[in-house]
Amino acid sequence: LPSGVVRGTTRSDVNSILLHFAELPTSAERLRIVCNRKLIDLDPVTRKLTFSVIKPATTTTTTHSTSSVVPPHEEEETEIVDASKAKVIACDGVWSVCRKSCVKHSVPDFTEDVRPWGVKFRVLFAKGVEAVKMSTLMDPHLHTIIGPKGVYCAVIPDQESPNGRWVFSLTIRDGDPDSVVLGATGSTPENIASMRKWLQTNLPVINEVITDEELRAFFARRTFAGAVVT
């Protein structure tokens, strides 16, 4: 297909816009924002919502004259909310817990048809000096798809990097020989060498800004996919 420019937005930008308006003083009387909750179940009979609540925790231990702080970990508990007098708007995406709950609880006349994309994605990042270098090679204000493999490239905000962080989304197609490299797990020297060779061959411009440390992190990341739901 001919190359061109498509103007649009992303789901994260839509969420950012919604959050901005929800946080305005004029919205405070009508809206309450609650964070660190993840919906587990929606019961259409009792009209109750079950959430897992994530609570950060830090433990400090002292041994003799020295003290050590255990890195923060997450504690999870369950919270049940009575929604009998509320209207629940399900905006939880393709893997919707609300939709699955309706199927599980056999809501009358409710059906779902989920058709997986057939592809998965895995991401690489460039930050710090590598991100600065990447921004001299590609316009950071545009979302771009490059190379014969159709790699999506964009800058995302990053609190650790004032100039943002570049993200590269790699596509893993079922049955594609590339899936052996891109879908591998384990940061072994062999996997890292194979990935470096793949980048040099298919995405030399990106290869310049991907460190060996980032390649080791790549093989520890999960892949993600999507589906068409009707």
Side-chain angles (χ1 to χ4, degrees):
L1 296 175
S3 297
V5 176
V6 177
R7 301 191 182 277
T9 187
T10 63
R11 286 169 292 179
S12 61
D13 281 340
V14 172
N15 285 333
S16 178
I17 293 169
L18 292 173
L19 179 61
H20 167 73
F21 281 98
E23 291 179 330
L24 291 176
T26 53
S27 303
E29 296 180 358
R30 296 172 294 169
L31 295 174
R32 183 167 67 98
I33 301 173
V34 182
C35 301
N36 299 326
R37 264 76 172 167
K38 182 178 181 180
L39 184 65
I40 299 175
D41 184 56
L42 176 155
D43 191 323
V45 178
T46 63
R47 298 187 64 82
K48 290 183 178 180
L49 307 175
T50 304
F51 294 90
S52 63
V53 183
I54 308 299
K55 292 187 174 182
T58 302
T59 303
T60 303
T61 58
T62 303
T63 304
H64 299 295
S65 60
T66 61
S67 63
S68 60
V69 179
V70 177
H73 63 280
E74 293 182 340
E75 294 180 346
E76 189 171 309
E77 59 184 42
T78 300
E79 179 178 85
I80 297 177
V81 176
D82 182 359
S84 58
K85 298 181 180 179
K87 179 180 289 186
V88 177
I89 302 174
C91 301
D92 50 348
V94 63
W95 308 122
S96 170
V97 173
C98 292
R99 188 183 71 245
K100 292 182 182 299
S101 294
C102 288
V103 173
K104 182 179 74 173
H105 292 286
S106 302
V107 173
D109 301 322
F110 187 90
T111 59
E112 67 169 352
D113 182 7
V114 181
R115 302 181 185 185
W117 286 344
V119 296
K120 298 177 181 178
F121 300 94
R122 208 175 193 180
V123 294
L124 282 167
F125 295 103
K127 60 182 179 179
V129 293
E130 285 78 21
V132 172
K133 181 178 180 180
M134 189 66 206
S135 294
T136 66
L137 303 172
M138 194 176 297
D139 191 339
H141 300 98
L142 299 178
H143 292 214
T144 310
I145 297 176
I146 66 169
K149 304 298 181 179
V151 174
Y152 169 82
C153 314
V155 171
I156 60 176
D158 188 340
Q159 294 180 350
E160 298 178 0
S161 305
N163 299 303
R165 175 171 52 160
W166 277 90
V167 57
F168 310 104
S169 182
L170 311 182
T171 304
I172 305 174
R173 294 179 174 83
D174 295 342
D176 190 323
D178 287 345
S179 64
V180 176
V181 177
L182 302 182
T185 57
S187 303
T188 64
E190 294 77 15
N191 283 342
I192 292 172
S194 296
M195 189 63 192
R196 181 64 74 186
K197 182 179 179 181
W198 187 91
L199 287 171
Q200 290 171 341
T201 303
N202 298 287
L203 298 163
V205 65
I206 293 177
N207 183 57
E208 294 184 33
V209 299
I210 300 300
T211 63
D212 287 345
E213 180 183 1
E214 173 58 23
L215 287 183
R216 285 191 289 271
F218 173 80
F219 288 108
R221 295 187 187 116
R222 67 178 180 86
T223 61
F224 62 95
V228 176
V229 181
T230 55

